[in-house]
Amino acid sequence: QSALTQPRSVSGSPGQSVTISCTGTNSDIGGYNYVSWYQQHPGKAPKVMIYDVTKRPSGVPDRFSGSKSGNTASLTISGLQAEDEADYYCCSFAGAYIYVFGTGTSVTVL
Amino acid sequence: EVQLVESGGGLVQPGGSLRLSCAASGFTFSIYWWHWVRQTPEEGLVWVSRINPDGSTITYADSVKGRFTISRDNAKNTLYLQMNSLRVEDTALYFCARVTSGQPHLDYWGQGILVSVSS
C-alpha cells in the first residue's frame, strides 16, 4: 500500500494549463479505471473533481480533465484561475476494497 | 443538504484509545459505503478503513489493522472508528467520507476531527 507518486508542486499563470501526474503500479492505477482526483483548499475538506479517470461530477468546471496511460494518471487544469490554487490528490482503487492516495501536489497560480 | 459531522477527537497518550463518530444527515445513510481517511502535513491524505452498507465487509490499511475497528449504526445514521493502542504516528486529522455503491470515489467528506497522540 505505497502512496502514489505526485510532483510536490506545479505552477502556472492565469489562463495557462497545468498537468499533474500520478504514478502507481499495475496493482492500482494500471489495474483499474477507478482513479479520482480531489481538490483541497486550506482548512477545508477535500472535494472530488474527477472520478473514474475522466468523469466530472456535476458542478465541476470543464477546464478540469483527467486521463490515464498505463500506470500513470493525469489531471489537467486548462485556463488556470486564481481559485484553482489548492492542493490536489489522486486516489486509486487497489483491489480487495483497498484505496491508495497520492502524495499530493500544491498548485500555485502565479 | 448533506451534512457529516465528526466528533470524539482529542489528545490521548500513547497506548490509549479514542472513538470517533461521524453523524450523517440529509440523505439515506444506510445505502452508502463509508470510509475513514486521515491527513498529516507530512503524508497528506492516507486511506484508513472502509465498511459496506450492512457492515458485513470491512477493510483496513495495514498501518491500523488489528488496532482500529470501523463500525456503523444505520438506525442512528452514524459511522464510528474505535482506535486502540494509539501511537504517536496516528496523530492526524481524521475525515469520514461517503461512497456510492458502484462508484468507487469519495463524493462527500466531513470537515475532519483532530486526533493527537502524545505523552
Side-chain angles (χ1 to χ4, degrees):
Chain A
Q1 297 173 7
S2 298
L4 308 175
T5 301
Q6 298 180 232
R8 183 171 296 272
S9 64
V10 299
S11 62
S13 299
Q16 288 187 330
S17 294
V18 295
T19 296
I20 304 168
S21 62
C22 171
T23 301
T25 68
N26 290 332
S27 297
D28 37 64
I29 292 177
Y32 307 92
N33 288 320
Y34 293 133
V35 176
S36 49
W37 289 89
Y38 301 87
Q39 177 192 66
Q40 188 180 31
H41 288 107
K44 299 294 187 181
K47 172 188 174 183
V48 61
M49 305 301 283
I50 295 288
Y51 68 96
D52 294 355
V53 179
T54 62
K55 298 176 182 177
R56 268 180 294 104
S58 174
V60 172
D62 60 5
R63 51 204 181 75
F64 289 86
S65 62
S67 63
K68 188 186 91 164
S69 177
N71 296 336
T72 298
S74 298
L75 174 72
T76 297
I77 310 173
S78 305
L80 199 61
Q81 299 186 6
E83 60 261 36
D84 300 333
E85 186 161 294
D87 293 330
Y88 291 82
Y89 293 88
C90 59
C91 179
S92 177
F93 182 73
Y97 302 109
I98 290 172
Y99 288 67
V100 60
F101 281 93
T103 50
T105 298
S106 176
V107 171
T108 301
V109 181
L110 301 172
Chain B
E1 178 192 4
V2 173
Q3 284 201 325
L4 302 174
V5 179
E6 296 106 333
S7 61
L11 175 63
V12 62
Q13 291 187 336
S17 298
L18 279 177
R19 189 176 83 153
L20 305 184
S21 299
C22 172
S25 61
F27 61 96
T28 305
F29 174 86
S30 61
I31 65 173
Y32 292 93
W33 298 61
W34 288 93
H35 296 240
W36 287 100
V37 177
R38 66 187 183 186
Q39 184 173 31
T40 64
E42 298 77 25
E43 288 191 291
L45 297 174
V46 176
W47 179 81
V48 173
S49 183
R50 161 227 83 120
I51 187 168
N52 72 330
D54 67 6
S56 61
T57 305
I58 287 171
T59 318
Y60 299 99
D62 287 345
S63 57
V64 306
K65 201 174 294 183
R67 302 187 299 121
F68 289 13
T69 302
I70 190 173
S71 63
R72 62 191 295 163
D73 186 333
N74 287 340
K76 295 183 177 180
N77 295 335
T78 303
L79 173 74
Y80 303 101
L81 185 68
Q82 178 67 44
M83 303 185 295
N84 297 332
S85 303
L86 282 162
R87 306 168 180 168
V88 170
E89 54 265 34
D90 294 320
T91 295
L93 186 65
Y94 284 74
F95 295 96
C96 61
R98 189 186 83 171
V99 170
T100 301
S101 182
Q103 300 180 38
H105 63 279
L106 293 80
D107 61 4
Y108 277 99
W109 297 61
Q111 286 303 303
I113 188 78
L114 185 61
V115 171
S116 296
V117 185
S118 174
S119 55

